[in-house]
Each structure stands twice: as C-alpha cells, then as structure tokens.
Amino acid sequence: MVIPSFVRNRHFAGVTKPYKVVTMDLNKGRSIDEQLRGEGAEIEPALLQDGSVVPTSTLAGEVVAMNVSFAPVNQIPPDGHIEVVFPEGIDLSMLPTTQQQHTPELRLFNETEIFENYEGGGKVVIRVTGQAVQIVRDNSGAAFPPNQLVSILLPAVRNVPVPGVGGTYIIRTKASESLVDQNEMVPSTTFTTQNFKNLTLSLPTDVAGGMGPIRLSFVPMNPIPADGRIHIKLPDEYVLLHPLHADWLEGADGFISTTVEPDGSILMSRDADFEAPRHQKMVVEFSTVINVPRSGDTKTFRRSEER
C-alpha cells in the first residue's frame, strides 16, 4: 500500500518508534486486524552539503586557524551540536576550549566568536575529544536554517608535521546526541614543506683545496623523528673522503650513520631515543671534505629533512 501524499522523515537519524496499523470495520466500529507495535524504520543521516576545512596556511607544522564551512540539509536547533573530526597528526591541544588546563573555570563562548557572519545571541561549549572538536549550543540562540552556509573559525590548530596529502575530515550535526547530517569524506589538505631557519654551513677552511670537517647549523620547523634522516647536497666540486663520518653536536641525542648517494649527496640517518624538537638549534658535523680547488664563491647547497 502506498499513501498518496508526501511524508517528511523526522530530522534526525536512528530507529523510529514503533508503528501502529489497524484495519477497521467502520460500520460496526471495530478493528479487524491490527499491529500495535510494528517495527520502527531506520532513518539515515542526511548528506551534509558543501563541506570544507581549509587552514589559513598549508605549511606543515604551522599553527593556523581552520575555516570550517558547510550547508546543513536539516536545521541545526538552538541546542544542537556540530562536530568536526580532524585526521591523525593535526594537533588540537592549543585550541581554546571550555575547560582549560590552567583554570578550573568553565568558559562559554559567544556564538559570534565562533560562527562567522552570524548575529545571534547564543553561547556555545567547545570540547576536544581525541581528534574531534565538538561545538555544543546552549539553547539560547536561533536555529540555523537548512541549506544556508555555516562558517566556523577554529583558531590555534597545528598542521601535521609532515608534508603531503593529509587525511579526510568529517563534519557532523546533531540534535542533542542524535545524528542529523554528516559528511565523512570532506576533502583533505595538501600540506607543503617548511623552510629551515638560520641555516648555515661552516667550511673547514677558506683556502681552495683545504680539507677538514664541515659543520651544519639549522633550526627545524618540525620535529625530526628518532629514526629520521638529513639529506644534504654540496656543490659538485667538493670532494668527500670515504668513509664519511657525522656527529650530532647540539640539539638532539643519538648517533648518525652516513651514506653517500650515487648523485654525490649525503644521507645521514638518525639512531636515537627521542625526536629532535622543533624550533631548537641543531648542529651536525661531518668529515672529511675537501674544498673546491679554486678561489671565489661556491654554488649553493641543498638540505632537507626526511621521515
């Protein structure tokens, strides 16, 4: 049997309450057959539209603000929840939340602090659970209407420390704890490589053809793993004497094993207990190297960090 009219599903997911179906003899005013507790239907969440999560910078390891936007299919009620799940590697520990570690007081945020281009008067609670940021409305503002763009700004989030394509994001809306809309495949971010700070290369001597150790000093913008690697390419006219040895003089623990690649570049692999921290000066020395056999400026060198 088909009911010849439109019926709109309720606006949140889950199993509905039981249905009641009765056939009647209207002349005699009595039921013929009945099912008073027909099994409820499973309501699926609607697919949230136009979901995006965009950092203000794509540099790996950078502290950024995350711009979250989407268009809900169903309204977000005054007591509704919005949940944004970030991929592994994104650091949410600096995000301002309702319960801060340094104070026992709970902080309620004005919705105008969180939602862009919004003039409502409500407040929200912000919680972080694992990789999920939950924004819980306090029932004092207006409902967000369906099919209109919602924009959220989340400050002080650190990008993943490794360049490349990150994982996908998830955005959900809820009525109380019941799922309403969701998109579990919000497009990922391609993170880009940071530049080192204070990068210097000290030669063993200024004399053409001189011989000795070279000292490399730099400040990494992201941690170097305990088993990470450093890759350096000197100009072609330098001569590397084999075997090539390297020592970590400052900034990190452990040992370094060194290999020379077919293109003449130097690959230094860490063997340590701890990662080398970001924003701290590192000094590595390797030997022995013979300077270029002529006077004048050398070409530039390249250095990279690998995981």
Side-chain angles (χ1 to χ4, degrees):
M1 181 176 66
V2 177
I3 299 175
S5 62
F6 292 103
V7 176
R8 183 184 293 276
N9 284 341
R10 71 183 191 191
H11 68 282
F12 57 93
V15 179
T16 66
K17 293 181 179 180
Y19 292 95
K20 177 180 178 180
V21 180
V22 180
T23 58
M24 302 286 296
D25 182 341
L26 294 181
N27 294 326
K28 297 181 179 180
R30 63 187 180 187
S31 62
I32 301 172
D33 298 320
E34 65 182 12
Q35 173 56 271
L36 301 182
R37 293 191 61 81
E39 183 177 354
E42 178 75 31
I43 304 296
E44 298 291 334
L47 179 61
L48 180 143
Q49 301 297 305
D50 301 324
S52 70
V53 180
V54 180
T56 52
S57 169
T58 60
L59 290 174
E62 191 84 346
V63 177
V64 300
M66 288 286 184
N67 295 288
V68 180
S69 62
F70 61 93
V73 176
N74 296 285
Q75 74 169 17
I76 304 174
D79 62 347
H81 300 191
I82 298 170
E83 182 176 78
V84 184
V85 183
F86 291 86
E88 291 297 326
I90 289 183
D91 183 0
L92 303 172
S93 63
M94 293 176 289
L95 182 69
T97 59
T98 295
Q99 179 67 68
Q100 297 289 335
Q101 293 182 354
H102 59 274
T103 174
E105 297 180 359
L106 295 178
R107 176 184 175 186
L108 290 178
F109 295 82
N110 293 321
E111 289 193 321
T112 52
E113 297 178 74
I114 305 300
F115 299 105
E116 296 188 302
N117 303 318
Y118 175 72
E119 298 179 356
K123 295 183 181 295
V124 294
V125 169
I126 298 179
R127 298 192 298 250
V128 174
T129 304
Q131 290 300 109
V133 177
Q134 296 153 347
I135 302 168
V136 183
R137 307 186 71 201
D138 76 340
N139 205 30
S140 63
F144 284 99
N147 304 315
Q148 292 192 20
L149 196 67
V150 176
S151 296
I152 301 169
L153 186 66
L154 298 176
V157 175
R158 189 183 292 279
N159 287 340
V160 297
V162 183
V165 179
T168 54
Y169 303 90
I170 300 172
I171 303 176
R172 300 185 177 107
T173 65
K174 298 180 179 181
S176 185
E177 292 298 328
S178 298
L179 190 59
V180 178
D181 301 336
Q182 71 173 1
N183 186 341
E184 296 185 332
M185 296 297 292
V186 177
S188 58
T189 303
T190 299
F191 297 99
T192 53
T193 304
Q194 287 262 32
N195 289 324
F196 298 107
K197 302 296 185 183
N198 303 328
L199 180 62
T200 61
L201 188 72
S202 301
L203 301 175
T205 173
D206 293 334
V207 177
M211 167 187 315
I214 283 183
R215 185 166 292 187
L216 176 69
S217 175
F218 61 95
V219 175
M221 303 308 293
N222 287 293
I224 304 174
D227 60 351
R229 298 184 294 181
I230 301 169
H231 197 186
I232 183 168
K233 181 69 168 70
L234 297 172
D236 293 338
E237 293 176 279
Y238 284 89
V239 177
L240 306 177
L241 297 184
H242 299 268
L244 196 68
H245 299 286
D247 294 302
W248 205 291
L249 301 184
E250 185 178 338
D253 68 324
F255 301 94
I256 301 177
S257 60
T258 307
T259 57
V260 178
E261 303 289 275
D263 65 351
S265 60
I266 303 167
L267 186 63
M268 294 178 281
S269 302
R270 294 191 67 207
D271 181 9
D273 294 324
F274 306 99
E275 67 180 16
R278 59 165 55 93
H279 301 159
Q280 183 168 316
K281 181 181 178 181
M282 306 289 164
V283 179
V284 177
E285 186 177 82
F286 54 95
S287 58
T288 296
V289 178
I290 300 177
N291 275 354
V292 296
R294 58 171 175 78
S295 61
D297 291 337
T298 67
K299 297 178 182 178
T300 58
F301 67 95
R302 299 195 308 272
R303 181 202 170 276
S304 63
E305 168 192 328
E306 302 179 1
R307 288 174 176 259

